[in-house]
Amino acid sequence: MKRIIISGGGTGGHIYPAITIYKEIMKQQPDAKVLYVGTEHGLEADLVPKENIDFVTLPVQGLQRKLSLGTLVTMGKTAFSLIKANLIISDFKPDVVIGTGGYVCGPILMAAALRNIPTLIQEQNVIAGITNKILSRFVDIVAVGYNEAAKSFGKAKRVVYTGNPVRPDVLVDSRTEGRQFFGLSDDIFTVLIAGGSRGARTINTAMIDVHKHFKGKPGIKLIHITGNGEYNTVLEQLGIDDGTGLGESSLILPYLHDMPKALAATDLAVFRSGAIGLAELAVRGIPSILVPYPYAAEDHQTYNARIFVQEGAAHMIVDKVLTSHDLIGEIEMFMANRELLAQMGASALRLGKPNAAHDIAELALSIAK
């Protein structure tokens, strides 16, 4: 029976890949014993226990860039986290340790590497996160989501291009099933607008006049996921009481649990360019208009988007210049040019790595003691 530690924390971009890898490991090694190491206050503290994965925490957080009392407190927590990480390693006795990013990975991966326990990190973005950059000098394998990310790991022992892990249910539904779920006929041009789990204010603001422009127009459906915190504001600005208040042309939702069905039904996406969202668009072959989040670390969303633009799978609009006029023009252009839409979809599909989770799990199990 293999004993495996998985760690990833802070944002969904680190946690969802970890959970997807966990599920694939359990397919390949059903009797494996898995422990997830996260933080007490990160999103993982809510998501991981729901998956019935054993969960423990480390009191670690990111360092501030300037020296302050807060920085000293953080350094103290980091030192304590290293001690606790070693205790976790001693108690659990893992055969391999896997990290998917976030500050919490640092102590547990470092503790494992220094004790010669096999280690693997998975980097989702083109521009690597600082934790993974540091860890890459010590771990056995770096699995990268983009081939272009390899340059960030020049001193790593081994870098493998696997692509980013995509949850299996993204690939389950057919286009017909997705359309039936939303009550859409096949001739309705469907646009999925989403800014991530927390929403994207710039996109939501621009969408106000987009909804108004297409209100009552036949042949189009805008499925707009605002994020929970933005939903009421969007409704107020549109002067409606609920997300169906604009009629058949628009469906506005705070959150969508059935995102795989929305992806299956979609002709065009308006997205941020987080790595996992892009991976899901790619495996479904969905062309996109990307608006990178400008405050992401190292501006990594812009670099992610550029790969899709270079490969002909997406158009990109810079966040600070995004307008309703831009989105209306792009959507109407794609509606009128289905040949371009199909070409971009094919380009997106070529970027997809539907077997990434399988390959990462297989790599991790192959180096387990």
Side-chain angles (χ1 to χ4, degrees), residues 1-5 25 29 32 94-98 116-120 140-141 361-369:
M1 181 179 70
K2 297 298 182 186
R3 301 179 68 82
I4 300 158
I5 287 177
I25 285 172
Q29 195 99 92
D95 298 301
V96 63
V97 179
I98 303 165
N116 294 316
I117 295 168
T119 47
L120 177 149
D140 295 290
I141 299 177
E362 193 171 66
L363 274 173
L365 292 170
S366 73
I367 61 173
K369 285 186 175 179

Side-chain angles (χ1 to χ4, degrees), residues 148-164:
E148 293 78 4
K151 66 183 73 171
S152 295
F153 301 113
K155 296 187 178 181
K157 296 176 187 176
R158 183 182 174 194
V159 179
V160 180
Y161 171 42
T162 58
N164 282 316

Side-chain angles (χ1 to χ4, degrees), residues 159-272:
V159 179
V160 180
Y161 171 42
T162 58
N164 282 316
V166 172
R167 48 191 170 152
D169 51 349
V170 168
L171 293 164
V172 170
D173 293 304
S174 68
R175 177 179 170 86
T176 298
E177 289 168 331
R179 297 228 151 202
Q180 286 176 345
F181 180 82
F182 288 99
L184 300 168
S185 61
D186 198 54
D187 61 335
I188 299 295
F189 186 78
T190 304
V191 186
L192 176 63
I193 305 98
S197 58
R198 295 173 182 169
R201 180 163 297 174
T202 307
I203 295 175
N204 287 338
T205 300
M207 282 300 301
I208 301 300
D209 283 340
V210 177
H211 284 295
K212 291 177 180 178
H213 176 82
F214 287 107
K215 181 181 177 181
K217 293 189 177 180
I220 188 169
K221 185 75 165 190
L222 305 173
I223 302 175
H224 179 189
I225 304 165
T226 64
N228 287 314
E230 296 268 310
Y231 179 67
N232 288 331
T233 301
V234 169
L235 295 189
E236 287 172 11
Q237 291 178 333
L238 285 168
I240 55 177
D241 295 325
D242 62 58
T244 61
L246 293 175
E248 291 297 318
S249 61
S250 296
L251 173 63
I252 303 169
L253 302 165
Y255 186 79
L256 181 63
H257 291 285
D258 294 295
M259 182 62 90
K261 285 186 170 56
L263 290 166
T266 294
D267 294 302
L268 174 69
V270 179
F271 266 39
R272 288 298 199 195

